[in-house]
């Protein structure tokens, strides 16, 4: 990936930007495919270090052997991932102060000096869920600490997700599919990344809420029960509480309803499923502070209202059709169409005008970047800078859903055999989530349940056919030409549409293959299982009206009577099972290698097989926590904001909740400015400490130098005197001798490489793979107060305003008495400074 | 003025000198507050003394000793002051002789106030053969009452040692005194940069401070290293390597003072635990859990300016010499489940090794501890219950024995809290605190152990577990002795929680059972209710029919299986196969009866389910035909074999029946499915 570019590109320039993205991604999402590569890199660089000379050698030896081996590993509070740190802080506030104070909480610990209204800007679902769990446990005198509850919230909810997935798939294609889908989602790597113990993240519970809402929608759709409709609205409310992704629900369900309407599938069940959800769902959503009036004001929600209207029109037409004689109906139609068309056009025009008034057409930036994948990179660098908002690569599909990627198309096919309301929904869910996951890596999470259910449907259909054929050959040859009898009777399911669906699907599958097998004899066996799934479709074309009526003439019997040959079915089974085994193997591997490692603690293996741990982040946070003033203000790039507030318990200027672009741009500008300007900006913001993440010593690629271009871009977006081109030499981002003077003099460069040459001897940066451009320099406005063991975090303190600057300040404000004495003092001072 | 004429000074001058020497201590650290308190106490004592002693015994000569002090003399004093750590450790061996006529039962010891304030630990034992090694009871006393001249005793704290048996006139004994002081070494300069070594100042007296005249005395001061900036001399004074020897001095006057000041290099760990909470929890199920929360800082000279990791890594010895990186703790043997973490998670830099006598834990704080830097962490471990709890032979109570202080060497605790949570149901708690902890510091800074009781609710507790809280300040390694808690605990109490859980789960299931069985319908005559009842009945009947039909299909299979056997065995199997048929037919008849009764029930119960009844009847009819066909086939095949027809012929005969059979099977299957819906 990009990281290879940045290392292999040589001269540190190479694909700077691509390197940038990938490295960020690896840090952010706590793993993905970069996780282990990163570690591998580190191992390699550590080895480099040993073979290299001089001081660098010394340091890396220190790094490797200086630490005693880790023998004590406490099982608790292991993983603290980025956003989670903030959530835990929220939760501990919630548990102390109670719900009502939580709504009104103004957090002055962050976004200094602005502060942040937390109650109104955070999705409270996770906090409330964990809070309820904690309260229940404590009321039973089970003394769980806040952290313990946080750590285990995600695993508990992943179990719930498996259950909800079972229910959803069962609604679509019966319990067989349900079980398969649940088994698949239980281990799907994409979801594991959010449900490992310690991943205290919105998505952890939101995926459950998402799947459960869909299940209740389908349940309502299948039964027409108002009870489930109400439950559906409540589940939707829970989803709104938990995650911004709720807009996916409120768009997908209308799309499904609309497709149903246009394909002539309107029924009272659809009405019961859809209308209450829109009404109650919207009301409930509006009562969540962070959504509020957005539930009726923004374009994300308009689809549901529009479909709501259309649904009522259709319902009215159906009603009229029933009560009016044909002639009157025609008359009414013409009247309504002529009158209504005019009105509708006028109304539509007004609506369009209103929407068009807002520059983004009423869509929020994040939604727009979904609809137009290039939007963010053009207009909102801060969204584009987040690695999770980048489009995924093909390997990441394979990494995250493995064989499901191949089973999903089969699942689509199986959904059409036959098409029911529920399976139509599944198709739409699959299609939209595939699209969204293609836009943003992060939304791979939404794809995971869809992929699991689709694959579950496909797999269970295939298994059904194959096992039935096998059974037929093994047990059933006493009926030479008959179909097995009662084993079939078992595979029935409660609701009507499903049963016929599954039955006929499997039937047709077995029917179909026969001629094929007969003709093609020994075809390539590897493709057999595919055939088993795909052929039904072909068959369906030839016998489209094959149906639900139970008493069929002998024609069908004969066709049913032709199962797959024994060897084919056994081979297909073996192949499917082995594919499933590979899937499990991969999932276990991904869970243990890629997703279980907390991004904040890195590790590598030394040559003698021991694990060496890089715990620099927490070292720095602990230092800040214990050895700085209680009210000290700490500034860093926003990625580390949440961690700093939670772990170091210090006030930060910017954090991962990027609500104020200008503030972030100010920090970016300070980092991109020369030392003195940077110091002035920070002083003006009342900052005491600055820290940077620096990977050049041990080869940690996600450091601030690699992210630096984003700081320049975001800063330049607000303060035009920062120009990206000043930092690039011939369009290449580099920090070696070829780098631009602006780059070599900017604050970020200086803070990262201060005394780096003294430590390594030649100033060789292990991440960029090059010697740095400016080797020896002094800091005049900052002093190093702490650097962690592997130099990954470097903390600087702003020097106080010097006494002599008084004269200078006055001179600038033109109030100074320009005596010759003061002038000469100033000259001396200036000379010294330069 | 009997003794020490050549050394003697006027008493008033002595007092002033005392102030001058020890007063400088008052400026550093936080002792100024204490000082003020004690000064005012002194004033009070002084006033008392004026009334009680001076006025009454105006004529008493200056050198005369009162009766309480007795006519003791120190024949020889060997004093060793260990300054090689952050503590000041004082070892004194004093040979004393009673020269008076009266018996002496109390011996007075004297410490300057500044030292007494920082006194953490002190024992006095009788040395030699007759001592027995037991620590003697010591109490702080008011000097005026003891009869010491108040003018001399200003700025001095006195302790009285009660002897087990009075010292007769002319008798002699050896006292062994051991004291530990904390924070007596003053970092000077108080702030150093990373490159500087750490220098400290130590103030004391060249002479051993005693209310008795001393014949011969010698003082050896051991330092951290040979590096000494400056030290006062009182001839004869000798310095060799890291030891300075003062003395021998002869015939020293009581309470004679000659200020000593040593400014030397001390790079020992100045690890100070400002706050330690040790929580112990006894589980009757086999372990004692210990959790210790530490707040530690480096109490040496404060670090100033930058911290350069580069220098620290390049010159580990020279740069940041006064800092420390590791701490060592000695845990009890067989400690298990040891952890080391802080509020942001596990700390991976630690090492654990153990043998049968102890468990050694080496922890490394997250960052090197430079002067003044602070860090907080938690360590915890478990101990097997049988190692800590025994049953006392006297009263049958359980006795928990645990170490009191911190397991960390080279560190002292400013404020220690020990919380012992006993299992729920424990009663008659009684802490037994050893003498080494009680009143050890006497009138100085560290106080007694204070004891509180509280209750704590944990894991499924109902009444809560009793907690005994012990508090003490200024705790050093010498305090790390075992203390005990005695309590009564009935073994039956162990079963509380299992029983609680069992009954909770039982209650849950019971509630479920009641809910599933009881009828919560409000109106029993509403049409909906009746309809539901009917429906349930119909469903029940249909299910039963289905079950019976299934068993009948099974019979068919049985027949088929016997046929299969027949085809395999040929003619030999004919008899066997024939034998199968009769019971099958019988069973079929039986089941037919039950079906009939079921259908009757169905008809009677379900007025609304006529369609369903028809369906069921249809199925039954079809099924009956199926059975007859199956039997026919069986008959035909058996016959065929009996007649020894060719297999092909048999097949031909059976074929028609077979076709019909297959068709029926499919039909029945479909019908059954339809029925389910």
């Amino acid at each position: 990936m990009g990281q290879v570019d940045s290392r292999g590109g040589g001269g540190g320039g190479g694909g700077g930007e691509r390197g940038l993205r990938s490295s960020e991604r690896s840090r952010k999402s706590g793993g993905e495919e970069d996780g282990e590569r990163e570690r591998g890199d580190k191992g390699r660089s550590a080895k480099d270090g040993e073979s290299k000379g001089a001081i660098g050698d010394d340091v890396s030896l220190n790094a490797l052997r200086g630490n005693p081996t880790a023998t004590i590993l406490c099982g608790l509070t292991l993983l603290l991932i980025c956003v989670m740190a903030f959530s835990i802080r929220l939760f501990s506030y919630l548990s102390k102060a109670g719900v009502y104070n939580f709504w009104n909480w103004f957090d002055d610990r962050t976004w200094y000096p602005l502060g942040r209204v937390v109650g109104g800007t955070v999705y409270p679902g996770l906090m409330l869920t964990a809070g309820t769990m904690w309260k229940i446990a404590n009321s039973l005198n089970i003394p769980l600490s806040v952290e313990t509850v946080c750590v285990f919230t995600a695993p508990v909810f992943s179990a719930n997700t498996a259950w909800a997935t079972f229910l959803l798939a069962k609604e679509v294609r019966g319990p067989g599919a349900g079980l398969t889908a649940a088994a698949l989602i239980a281990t799907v790597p994409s979801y594991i990344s959010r449900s490992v113990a310690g991943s205290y993240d919105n998505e952890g519970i939101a995926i459950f809420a998402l799947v459960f809402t869909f299940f209740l929608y389908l349940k309502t759709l299948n039964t027409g029960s108002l009870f489930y409709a109400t439950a559906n609205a409540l589940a939707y409310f829970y989803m709104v509480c938990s995650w911004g992704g709720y807009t996916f629900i409120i768009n997908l369900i209308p799309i499904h309803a609309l497709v149903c309407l246009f394909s002539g599938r309107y029924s009272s069940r659809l009405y019961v499923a859809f209308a209450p959800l829109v009404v109650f769902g919207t009301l409930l959503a509006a009562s969540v502070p962070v959504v509020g009036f957005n539930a009726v004001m923004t374009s994300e929600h308009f689809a549901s209202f529009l479909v709501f209207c259309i649904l009522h029109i259709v319902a009215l037409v159906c009603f009229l059709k029933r009560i009016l004689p044909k002639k009157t109906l025609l008359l009414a139609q013409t009247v309504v169409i002529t009158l209504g068309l005019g009105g509708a056009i006028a109304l539509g025009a007004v609506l369009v005008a209103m929407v068009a008034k807002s520059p983004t057409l009423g869509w929020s930036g994040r939604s727009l970047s979904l609809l137009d994948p290039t939007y963010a990179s053009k207009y909102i660098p801060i969204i584009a800078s987040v690695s999770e908002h980048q489009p995924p690569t093909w390997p990441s599909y394979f990494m995250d859903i493995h064989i499901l990627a191949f089973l999903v198309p089969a699942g689509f096919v199986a959904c059409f055999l036959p098409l029911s309301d529920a399976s139509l929904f599944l198709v739409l869910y699959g299609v939209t989530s595939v699209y969204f996951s293609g836009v943003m890596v992060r939304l791979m999470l939404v794809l995971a349940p869809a992929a699991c259910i689709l694959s579950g449907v496909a797999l269970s259909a295939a298994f059904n056919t194959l096992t039935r054929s096998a059974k037929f050959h093994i047990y059933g040859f006493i009926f030479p030409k008959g179909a097995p009898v009662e084993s079939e009777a078992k595979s029935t399911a409660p609701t009507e549409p499903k049963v016929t669906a599954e039955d006929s699907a499997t039937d047709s599958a077995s029917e179909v293959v026969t001629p094929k097998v007969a003709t093609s004899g020994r075809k390539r066996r590897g493709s057999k299982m595919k055939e088993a799934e795909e052929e039904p479709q072909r068959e369906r074309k030839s016998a489209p009206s094959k149906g639900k009526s139970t008493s069929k003439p002998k024609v069908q019997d004969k066709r049913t009577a032709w199962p797959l040959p024994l060897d084919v079915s056994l081979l297909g089974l073996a192949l499917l099972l082995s594919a499933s085994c590979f899937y499990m193997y991969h999932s276990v591997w991904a869970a243990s290698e890629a997703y279980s490692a907390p991004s904040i603690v890195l590790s590598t293996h030394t040559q003698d097989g021991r694990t060496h741990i890089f715990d620099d982040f927490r070292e720095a946070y602990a230092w800040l926590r214990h050895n700085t003033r209680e009210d000290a203000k700490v500034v860093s790039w926003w990625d580390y904001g949440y961690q700093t507030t939670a772990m170091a318990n210090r006030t930060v200027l910017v954090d991962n909740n990027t609500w104020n672009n200008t503030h972030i741009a100010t920090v970016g500008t300070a980092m991109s400015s020369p030392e003195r300007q940077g110091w002035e900006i920070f002083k003006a913001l009342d900052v005491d400490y600055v820290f940077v993440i620096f990977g050049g010593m041990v080869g940690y690629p996600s450091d601030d130098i690699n992210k630096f271009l984003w700081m320049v871009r975001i800063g330049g977006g607000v303060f035009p005197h920062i120009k990206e081109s000043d930092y690039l030499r011939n369009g290449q981002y580099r920090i070696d001798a070829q780098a631009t003077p602006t780059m070599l003099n900017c604050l970020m460069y200086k803070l990262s490489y201060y005394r780096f040459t003294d430590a390594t001897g030649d100033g060789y940066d292990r991440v960029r793979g090059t010697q740095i451009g400016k080797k020896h320099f002094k800091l005049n406005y900052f002093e190093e107060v702490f650097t962690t063991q592997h130099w990954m975090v470097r903390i600087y303190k702003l020097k106080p305003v010097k006494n002599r600057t008084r004269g200078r300040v006055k001179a600038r404000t033109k109030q100074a008495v320009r005596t010759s004495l003061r002038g000469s003092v100033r000259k001396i001072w200036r000379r010294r400074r330069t | 003025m009997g003794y020490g004429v050549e050394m003697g000074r006027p008493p008033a001058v002595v007092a002033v000198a005392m102030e001058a020497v020890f007063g400088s201590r008052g400026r550093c650290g936080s002792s100024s507050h204490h000082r003020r308190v004690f000064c005012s106490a002194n004033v009070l004592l002084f006033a008392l003394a004026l009334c009680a002693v001076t006025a009454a015994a105006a004529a008493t000569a200056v050198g005369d000793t009162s009766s309480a002090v007795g006519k003791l003399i120190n024949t020889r004093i060997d004093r060793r002051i260990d300054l090689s750590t952050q503590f000041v450790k004082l070892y004194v061996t004093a040979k004393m002789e009673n020269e008076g006529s009266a018996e002496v039962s109390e011996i007075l010891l004297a410490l300057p106030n500044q030292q007494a304030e920082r006194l953490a630990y002190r024992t006095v034992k009788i040395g030699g053969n007759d001592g027995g090694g037991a620590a003697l009871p010591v109490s702080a006393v008011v000097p005026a009452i003891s009869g010491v001249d108040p003018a001399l005793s200003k700025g001095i704290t006195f302790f009285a040692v009660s002897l087990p048996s009075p010292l007769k006139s002319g008798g002699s004994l050896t006292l062994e005194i051991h004291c530990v002081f904390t924070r007596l070494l003053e970092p000077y300069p108080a702030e150093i940069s990373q490159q500087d070594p750490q220098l400290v100042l130590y103030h004391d007296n060249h002479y051993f401070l005693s209310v008795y005249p001393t014949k011969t005395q010698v003082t050896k001061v051991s330092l951290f290293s040979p590096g000494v900036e400056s030290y006062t001399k009182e001839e004869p004074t000798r310095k060799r390597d890291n030891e300075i020897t003062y003395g021998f001095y002869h015939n020293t006057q009581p309470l004679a003072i000659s200020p000593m000041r040593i400014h030397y290099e001390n790079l020992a760990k100045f690890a100070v635990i400002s706050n330690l909470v040790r929580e112990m929890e006894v589980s009757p199920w086999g372990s004692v859990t210990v959790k210790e929360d530490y707040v530690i800082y480096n109490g040496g000279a404060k670090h100033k300016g930058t911290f350069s990791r580069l220098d620290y890594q390049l010159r580990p010895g020279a740069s940041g010499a006064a800092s420390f990186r590791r701490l060592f703790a000695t845990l009890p043997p067989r400690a298990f489940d040891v952890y080391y973490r802080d509020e942001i998670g596990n700390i991976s830099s630690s090492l654990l090794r153990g043998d049968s006598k102890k468990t050694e834990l080496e922890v490394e704080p997250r960052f090197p501890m430079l002067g003044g830097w602070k860090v907080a962490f938690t360590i915890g471990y478990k101990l097997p219950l049988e190692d800590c709890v025994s049953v006392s032979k006297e009263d049958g109570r359980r006795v928990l024995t645990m170490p009191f202080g911190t397991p960390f060497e080279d560190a002292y605790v400013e404020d220690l809290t020990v919380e012992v949570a006993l299992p729920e149901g424990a009663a008659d708690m009684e802490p037994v605190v050893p003498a080494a902890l009680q009143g050890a510091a006497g009138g100085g800074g560290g106080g007694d152990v204070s004891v509180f009781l509280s209750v704590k609710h944990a894991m499924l507790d109902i009444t809560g577990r009793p907690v005994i809280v012990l508090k003490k300040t200024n705790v050093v390694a010498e305090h790390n002795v075992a203390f005990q808690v005695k309590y009564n605990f009935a073994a039956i109490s162990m079963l509380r929680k299992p029983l609680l859980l069992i009954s909770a789960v039982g209650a849950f299931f019971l509630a479920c059972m009641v809910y599933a069985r009881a009828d919560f319908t409000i109106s029993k005559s509403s049409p909906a209710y009746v309809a539901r009842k009917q429906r349930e009945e119909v469903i029940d009947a249909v299910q039963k029919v289905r079950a019976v039909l299934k068993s009948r299909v099974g019979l068919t299979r049985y027949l088929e299986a016997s046929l299969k056997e027949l085809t395999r065995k040929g003619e030999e199997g004919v008899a066997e196969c024939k034998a199968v048929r009769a019971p099958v037919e019988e069973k079929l008849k039986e089941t037919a009866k039950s079906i009939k009764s079921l259908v009757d029930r169905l008809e009677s119960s379900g007025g609304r389910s006529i369609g369903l009844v028809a369906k069921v009847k249809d199925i039954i009819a079809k099924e009956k035909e199926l059975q007859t066909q199956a039997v026919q086939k069986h008959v035909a095949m058996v016959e065929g074999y009996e007649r020894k027809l060719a297999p092909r012929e048999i097949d031909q005969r059976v074929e028609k029946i077979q076709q019909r059979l297959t068709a029926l099977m499919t039909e029945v299957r479909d019908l059954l499915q339809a029925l389910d819906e």
Side-chain angles (χ1 to χ4, degrees), chain A residues 55 58-59 62 66-74 76-78 80 140-143 147 475 477-486 488-494 496 499-500 503 507 550-552 554 557 560 613 615 618-619 621-623 625-627 646-648 697 755 758-759 783-791, chain B residues 303 305-315 325-326 338-352 361-364 366-368 372-377 457-463 546 550 553-554 557 560-561 564 633 655 658-663 665-674 676-677:
Chain A
I55 309 164
D58 212 335
V59 171
N62 257 352
N67 251 0
T69 32
T71 38
I72 304 170
L73 283 169
C74 165
L76 208 63
T77 48
L78 266 178
L80 293 152
L140 294 174
N141 273 336
I142 300 173
E147 289 84 7
Y475 301 113
F477 73 91
I478 42 166
F479 309 95
K481 284 167 191 172
V485 184
E486 11 134 34
E488 246 67 12
K490 278 179 200 161
S491 68
T492 51
E496 193 256 344
V499 173
T500 49
D503 198 29
D507 273 1
T550 45
S551 56
K552 266 271 143 130
K554 280 188 180 175
D557 286 328
T560 325
I613 290 179
D615 206 354
R618 288 193 298 172
E619 181 183 345
Y621 293 136
W623 187 86
R625 187 188 192 101
H626 294 298
N627 296 306
M647 295 199 183
M697 183 65 97
R755 298 198 70 188
D758 298 344
E783 69 177 348
E784 183 187 13
V785 287
F786 191 74
T787 295
T788 57
Q789 194 184 358
H790 307 102
W791 289 54
Chain B
H303 171 72
T306 68
F307 167 69
S308 164
R309 174 67 69 167
L310 174 64
D311 297 335
Y312 186 79
Q313 280 173 335
L314 281 185
R315 291 178 285 278
R325 191 91 184 88
R326 293 184 180 81
V338 183
Y339 62 85
Y340 168 50
R341 63 182 168 88
D342 63 5
E343 63 264 79
I344 55 176
N346 177 54
I347 308 171
S348 48
S349 44
S350 58
L351 196 62
L352 186 74
L361 174 67
E362 176 187 334
V363 301
E364 198 173 308
R366 285 193 188 276
F367 43 84
W373 284 9
K374 191 185 78 160
V375 76
F377 59 82
H457 287 271
M459 212 61 195
L460 297 172
D461 283 342
I462 298 170
T463 55
R546 221 191 130 203
K550 272 206 162 178
V553 173
R557 284 204 138 194
E560 292 287 347
K564 197 169 131 195
K633 182 186 165 195
E655 199 185 345
Q658 181 62 52
Q659 274 177 10
R660 179 72 190 136
L661 198 62
T662 316
M665 281 222 161
T666 325
E667 253 171 73
V668 167
R669 190 193 73 197
D670 291 347
L671 281 174
L672 274 176
Q673 271 181 19
D676 284 343
E677 288 147 24

Side-chain angles (χ1 to χ4, degrees), chain A residues 177-250:
Chain A
L179 282 177
T180 327
L184 289 176
I185 202 167
T187 51
V188 67
S190 173
Y191 186 48
I192 282 180
S193 72
R194 300 300 166 130
S195 64
V196 286
S199 159
Y200 186 62
D201 209 345
N202 278 342
E203 284 94 332
I205 60 166
I207 295 303
F208 161 71
L210 181 86
V211 177
F212 198 62
T213 312
F214 285 155
F215 154 69
L216 284 171
Y217 175 70
L218 290 190
K219 186 82 185 172
T220 324
L221 198 60
N222 280 340
T223 58
S225 148
L226 206 51
F227 169 74
Y228 286 114
T230 320
N232 190 17
L234 287 175
Y236 173 67
F237 174 58
Y238 185 60
M239 177 70 190
V240 178
C241 281
S242 345
W243 195 32
Y246 76 91
T247 45
F248 181 60
I249 297 184
I250 205 61

Side-chain angles (χ1 to χ4, degrees), chain A residues 20-335:
Chain A
L20 220 79
R21 286 188 187 172
S22 75
S23 54
E24 268 172 54
R25 184 177 308 144
S26 66
R27 206 194 66 74
K28 282 260 162 141
S29 44
E32 295 177 346
E33 69 284 342
D34 296 54
E36 59 289 349
R37 190 174 295 183
E38 190 177 289
R39 237 160 282 141
D41 262 13
K42 212 160 300 132
R44 198 170 51 184
S45 59
K47 271 178 229 157
D48 285 352
E50 274 179 297
S51 57
K52 279 231 168 60
I55 309 164
D57 194 0
D58 212 335
V59 171
S60 66
L61 281 186
N62 257 352
L64 295 176
R65 298 185 196 129
N67 251 0
T69 32
T71 38
I72 304 170
L73 283 169
C74 165
L76 208 63
T77 48
L78 266 178
L79 319 172
L80 293 152
I81 297 171
C82 214
V83 182
M84 175 200 172
F86 175 67
S87 305
I88 285 191
R89 193 162 151 259
L90 283 190
F91 178 31
S92 44
Y93 181 87
L94 176 67
S95 59
K96 263 180 243 150
V99 179
Y100 285 96
N101 289 325
F102 178 71
W103 295 131
N104 296 326
W105 184 25
F106 181 80
D107 187 3
D108 54 359
R109 269 280 139 116
T110 168
W111 292 98
Y112 183 84
L114 307 170
R116 173 186 172 195
V117 186
V118 173
T121 57
V122 82
Y123 287 96
L126 183 63
M127 264 55 81
L128 293 176
T129 309
T132 317
M133 284 163 63
W134 182 75
K135 275 218 167 118
I136 290 174
N138 272 308
S139 68
L140 294 174
N141 273 336
I142 300 173
L144 291 181
S145 70
V146 168
E147 289 84 7
T148 317
V149 173
C150 293
V151 164
F152 289 106
T153 303
V156 166
F157 269 81
S158 70
N160 291 347
T161 309
W163 174 64
T165 309
F166 165 74
L167 292 175
L168 176 55
K170 185 167 157 260
E171 279 311 304
V172 181
R173 275 293 186 266
L179 282 177
T180 327
L184 289 176
I185 202 167
T187 51
V188 67
S190 173
Y191 186 48
I192 282 180
S193 72
R194 300 300 166 130
S195 64
V196 286
S199 159
Y200 186 62
D201 209 345
N202 278 342
E203 284 94 332
I205 60 166
I207 295 303
F208 161 71
L210 181 86
V211 177
F212 198 62
T213 312
F214 285 155
F215 154 69
L216 284 171
Y217 175 70
L218 290 190
K219 186 82 185 172
T220 324
L221 198 60
N222 280 340
T223 58
S225 148
L226 206 51
F227 169 74
Y228 286 114
T230 320
N232 190 17
L234 287 175
Y236 173 67
F237 174 58
Y238 185 60
M239 177 70 190
V240 178
C241 281
S242 345
W243 195 32
Y246 76 91
T247 45
F248 181 60
I249 297 184
I250 205 61
N251 282 307
L252 178 59
I253 289 181
I255 289 173
H256 173 249
L258 198 65
V259 172
C260 280
L261 289 179
F262 280 120
S263 57
R265 287 174 173 273
Y266 170 78
S267 64
S268 59
R269 287 178 285 113
L270 180 67
Y271 185 87
V272 172
F274 185 71
L277 176 67
V278 172
V279 178
F280 292 117
T282 307
L283 281 177
L284 289 169
S287 62
V288 177
V290 62
V291 178
F293 279 105
N294 283 350
V296 285
M297 303 281 281
T298 58
S299 297
E300 279 96 343
H301 305 80
F302 280 174
S304 61
F305 302 139
L306 189 69
V307 176
F308 188 68
C309 297
I310 296 174
L311 182 72
H312 277 90
I313 293 169
V314 172
L316 182 71
V317 171
C318 285
F319 176 68
L320 290 180
K321 257 186 195 163
R322 236 184 301 145
I323 59 166
L324 290 181
K326 223 173 186 180
K327 264 194 175 176
T328 334
L329 188 72
L330 273 176
L331 188 69
Q333 259 178 8
T334 40
V335 171

